[in-house]
Amino acid sequence: MKLYDILVTSAILLGKNDAIEYLGATSQNKDFETLVTVDNLTRAANIVISELAFTYIPMIKEERVQVENGKIKFEDLSEKILDLIGVYESEKAIKYKLRSDRIEVDATTVTVKYSYLPSNYDVHDEIGYKESEVSARILAYGVNSEYLLIEHAFEESLMWRDRYTKALERLVLPKSTKIKGRAWM
């Protein structure tokens, strides 16, 4: 999914027609107010995506890397690592030692699976989530909440935040909520 998809959904929900036209390139209107709106929506989207990746739904990446002297430096990975999930050689998990700035393994080429903190995305960048993991609509709810905070519309921001958290709860919480029955002795 692209950041663009989230921004357009957010602009539609907020009724920001100038931003919708600008993002869709159906208008050459580049007035200051429209640019500020799109910029603030982009900032809000990056805040929401980072918060989501850090707290609720991690962004996962598998990366094939060459090992140098038995070490994989975190700085050599393409993303900022948050949590190491595993190290694999030929699809088999292998032992590793985790250090503060590197991973140590006894192999030459491995696949590293890790969660990461996303960078700031631009309008046409592909983000780390797929639509099947979290929809553009749910992310747009969070974007609207953050955007309205920037605009000092606190009541509306709370309404969108409530929608966002409820949608996330349905997405993240376990699907089975049955409680095992108890019997009296």
Side-chain angles (χ1 to χ4, degrees), residues 68-93:
E68 294 181 23
N69 300 323
K71 299 174 185 164
I72 305 164
K73 294 180 183 175
F74 290 153
E75 63 192 38
D76 293 338
L77 297 173
S78 62
E79 303 291 344
K80 295 176 189 168
I81 188 168
L82 277 177
D83 188 31
L84 182 62
I85 297 169
V87 180
Y88 306 90
E89 186 177 36
S90 302
E91 298 183 20
K92 286 185 149 185

Side-chain angles (χ1 to χ4, degrees), residues 4-5 8 18 21 61 64 71 79 83 140-141 154 176:
Y4 167 86
D5 301 323
V8 168
D18 55 339
E21 291 171 3
K61 184 162 192 160
R64 191 129 177 95
K71 299 174 185 164
E79 303 291 344
D83 188 31
Y141 292 164
F154 300 113
S176 174

Side-chain angles (χ1 to χ4, degrees), residues 90-163:
S90 302
E91 298 183 20
K92 286 185 149 185
I94 62 171
K95 291 184 179 184
Y96 59 87
K97 290 183 181 174
L98 186 61
R99 304 291 184 212
S100 63
D101 63 340
R102 67 187 181 279
I103 306 164
E104 296 177 354
V105 295
D106 288 327
T108 56
T109 303
V110 296
T111 300
V112 180
K113 185 175 182 180
Y114 60 96
S115 66
Y116 64 95
L117 187 62
S119 59
N120 280 332
Y121 296 112
D122 197 15
V123 174
H124 295 290
D125 289 346
E126 193 76 28
I127 68 167
Y129 291 121
K130 295 178 181 79
E131 184 76 26
S132 60
E133 295 170 319
V134 58
S135 72
R137 185 174 192 86
I138 291 173
L139 289 169
Y141 292 164
V143 171
N144 290 355
S145 175
E146 292 295 327
Y147 172 80
L148 291 166
L149 271 179
I150 293 168
E151 295 292 312
H152 303 290
F154 300 113
E155 293 296 320
E156 292 90 345
S157 175
L158 287 174
M159 187 255 324
W160 285 107
R161 188 66 181 188
D162 186 53
R163 285 184 180 185

